[in-house]
Amino acid sequence: MRLFKKRESLHFWLDLQQKNGRKIGFVPTMGALHEGHITLIKASKKENDITVASIFVNPTQFNDSVDFDKYPKTIENDILLLEGVACDVLFLPSVAEMYPNGVVQNENYELGNLETLLEGKYRPGHYQGVCMIVHRLLEIVSPDNLYLGQKDYQQCMIINKLVELIGLKEKININIEPTLREYDGLAMSSRNMRLTEEERKMAPEIFKSLSYIKENFNNKDLSQLVNEGLSALEANGFKVDYVEIADAGTLLPIRKTEKDEKAIALIAAFLNDIRLIDNILLN
Ligand code: AMP
């Protein structure tokens, strides 16, 4: 695996590869890699000549400094995992490399509703930070295919919008891979590493609530389902940001099942200071 730390050298090398007709797949991550990330790498390996992974814990997308400081870092293990699946390139830039003019949010992407709903509401500024870093990474890597996880459903929608805003819709194909889960349903996440044994036992309640909503989506009142999800989580020690049933195309809440309308249930909740998110498509 080739390791690049400088944006210019990566861009130069990838440009050469593309000029030689090689297709590039890109998997942006924040590291602390797990099997969920690896499924994205594998998907890219199947469909591209060169797979690039990036690891960068992006300061501008953290609205909570404790979350940023405590974000797990396991770079040696990450490199082993990436080498294990023959990832071709790892981009591992420093903060100064990605933010040469300092860590400031000075761009403004027109994200519409997506920025104020759900994650946007509870993590102000988060998606502007995501757009800033993904914009920079896309300019450096210039991939043909981009691989994202459904676990961060709203982020997938945001990046889709970003690609449109920066005029790369025709160039970049976005691939969304299903959420990889632990044996008990808990969505794999780098933040799971921070859970205590006790919290780890509680954590699958999020997936249980989502599954319950899915099972009852066609035969129960949706407000009632939301309330039941909320109560189940609170009873298990969660502090809930949201339990929502939404239109999968707009993320606006829905309270009545409409035929042909794609729906999704989404949850964000804290176990002590660890915030977990997950979602499930309902139809
Ligand atoms: P992160 O390192 O958390 O920023 O995630 C990097 C990419 O991996 C994002 O596109 C995530 O949606 C994706 N991802 C994270 N967890 C999972 C999972 N459990 N299954 C599949 N993809 C995931």
Side-chain angles (χ1 to χ4, degrees):
M1 184 169 68
R2 283 169 194 264
L3 173 67
F4 289 87
K5 292 192 169 183
K6 300 286 173 196
R7 49 203 285 177
E8 274 181 20
S9 46
L10 176 64
H11 184 69
F12 179 78
W13 187 78
L14 287 173
D15 196 40
L16 210 66
Q17 306 306 314
Q18 258 171 340
K19 283 185 178 132
N20 287 324
R22 300 208 170 93
K23 229 194 210 183
I24 294 170
F26 180 38
V27 182
T29 83
M30 297 206 298
L33 300 183
H34 49 68
E35 279 304 314
H37 295 114
I38 297 304
T39 57
L40 305 191
I41 304 281
K42 286 182 179 161
S44 170
K45 289 282 297 178
K46 269 198 210 143
E47 294 156 359
N48 300 279
D49 302 303
I50 295 174
T51 291
V52 180
S54 65
I55 295 182
F56 182 67
V57 185
N58 173 35
T60 61
Q61 74 185 67
F62 283 82
N63 53 318
D64 172 357
S65 61
V66 177
D67 191 27
F68 177 65
D69 292 340
K70 291 197 173 167
Y71 200 85
K73 290 167 195 76
T74 60
I75 190 63
E76 282 165 25
N77 191 54
D78 293 352
I79 290 175
L80 286 177
L81 281 176
L82 292 172
E83 285 185 329
V85 285
C87 180
D88 303 289
V89 172
L90 170 59
F91 182 43
L92 189 63
S94 65
V95 172
E97 185 67 16
M98 294 311 292
Y99 293 101
N101 300 322
V103 179
V104 275
Q105 272 197 24
N106 50 10
E107 273 150 272
N108 190 34
Y109 299 88
E110 281 298 327
L111 302 171
N113 261 346
L114 282 178
E115 202 184 351
T116 48
L117 291 165
L118 304 168
E119 288 300 282
K121 175 172 170 195
Y122 287 93
R123 301 187 69 187
H126 170 62
Y127 285 132
Q128 290 295 331
V130 168
C131 285
M132 258 179 106
I133 194 64
V134 175
H135 188 174
R136 285 166 197 218
L137 289 168
L138 292 180
E139 279 179 350
I140 299 165
V141 177
S142 189
D144 300 282
N145 280 299
L146 177 64
Y147 295 84
L148 306 170
Q150 192 203 307
K151 164 150 183 294
D152 298 282
Y153 187 87
Q154 192 171 0
Q155 178 171 275
C156 293
M157 292 178 72
I158 291 276
I159 294 177
N160 203 21
K161 177 96 189 159
L162 169 73
V163 165
E164 201 180 291
L165 288 173
I166 61 179
L168 292 177
K169 202 155 181 67
E170 301 304 312
K171 154 94 177 82
I172 302 177
N173 186 30
I174 297 182
N175 303 268
I176 298 174
E177 302 297 321
T179 304
L180 210 72
R181 301 181 178 282
E182 303 286 356
Y183 67 94
D184 53 7
L186 174 64
M188 288 188 182
S189 162
S190 305
R191 288 186 176 86
N192 294 351
M193 289 178 196
R194 292 186 50 219
L195 297 170
T196 62
E197 208 175 308
E198 201 53 35
E199 289 162 349
R200 176 63 188 81
K201 281 187 201 148
M202 311 292 226
E205 190 58 40
I206 292 184
F207 183 63
K208 272 194 214 153
S209 295
L210 289 170
S211 304
Y212 178 81
I213 291 174
K214 184 171 175 132
E215 277 157 30
N216 293 285
F217 179 62
N218 285 317
N219 50 38
K220 272 201 179 184
D221 175 70
L222 301 189
S223 302
Q224 187 190 336
L225 279 178
V226 165
N227 287 334
E228 285 183 58
L230 199 69
S231 307
L233 287 165
E234 285 175 353
N236 279 277
F238 285 87
K239 189 179 116 349
V240 180
D241 271 354
Y242 58 82
V243 174
E244 192 57 279
I245 299 175
D247 180 305
T250 61
L251 288 186
L252 290 168
I254 52 177
R255 286 294 171 268
K256 249 206 246 133
T257 324
E258 300 281 350
K259 240 184 158 198
D260 301 331
E261 187 178 31
K262 282 210 162 190
I264 184 167
L266 310 106
I267 291 178
F270 284 88
L271 272 174
N272 298 315
D273 67 340
I274 302 168
R275 189 171 183 277
L276 300 173
I277 61 168
D278 199 356
N279 66 75
I280 200 166
L281 289 164
L282 299 173
N283 48 12

